[in-house]
């Protein structure tokens, strides 16, 4: 999806894997690390303290509520981020990949 008039680009992909959630999550954490520090927004994960308000250059988990037993990762900046969610499913895992870029003000 590309909204040229709005300065937004969204790419999304949903995949299935016969591998377990932990194996798939390890792969994507390593892959995302090349884009910067990976933020783990998974349910039950202890998070770092939120940065002071007004600092919009730091990516946060915010109100993200991943499904139970899912792994949820973000990397990038608030206006250009990659998001990966891995959920258990019968026979393996479901993987959702999102790239979101918002340009200009």
């Amino acid at each position: 999806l590309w909204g040229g008039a709005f300065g937004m680009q969204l790419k999304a992909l949903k995949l299935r894997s016969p591998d377990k959630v932990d194996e798939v999550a390890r792969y994507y954490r390593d892959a995302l690390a090349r884009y910067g520090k990976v933020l783990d927004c998974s349910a039950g994960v202890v998070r770092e303290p939120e940065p002071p308000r007004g600092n919009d250059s730091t990516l946060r988990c915010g109100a993200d509520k991943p499904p139970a037993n899912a792994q949820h990762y973000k990397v990038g900046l608030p206006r250009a981020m990659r998001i990966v969610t891995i959920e258990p499913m019968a026979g393996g895992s479901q993987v959702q990949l999102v790239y979101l870029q918002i340009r200009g003000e």
Side-chain angles (χ1 to χ4, degrees):
L1 175 68
W2 178 75
F6 303 106
M8 180 192 77
Q9 185 177 28
L10 174 69
K11 298 176 184 178
L13 183 64
K14 187 183 279 192
L15 308 166
R16 291 183 178 187
S17 171
D19 297 320
K20 294 179 181 180
V21 170
D22 292 340
E23 296 170 31
V24 177
R26 188 176 317 114
Y27 171 81
Y28 279 103
R29 274 193 316 265
D30 292 345
L32 288 171
R34 74 181 189 173
Y35 298 105
K37 183 179 178 203
V38 178
L39 185 58
D40 188 343
C41 300
S42 305
V45 171
V46 176
R47 297 184 186 102
E48 297 177 5
E50 294 286 330
R53 295 284 177 210
N55 183 355
D56 61 1
S57 66
T58 302
L59 190 61
R60 299 179 186 96
C61 289
D64 287 2
K65 300 280 186 196
N69 302 318
Q71 301 295 314
H72 186 71
Y73 306 110
K74 289 181 173 182
V75 67
L77 300 169
R79 299 181 71 79
M81 70 180 83
R82 289 169 168 80
I83 304 168
V84 176
T85 303
I86 305 124
E87 299 179 56
M89 61 175 269
S93 304
Q94 176 177 278
V95 182
Q96 297 176 53
L97 308 172
V98 174
Y99 173 74
L100 175 63
Q101 182 177 22
I102 303 169
R103 299 179 195 159
E105 289 295 320

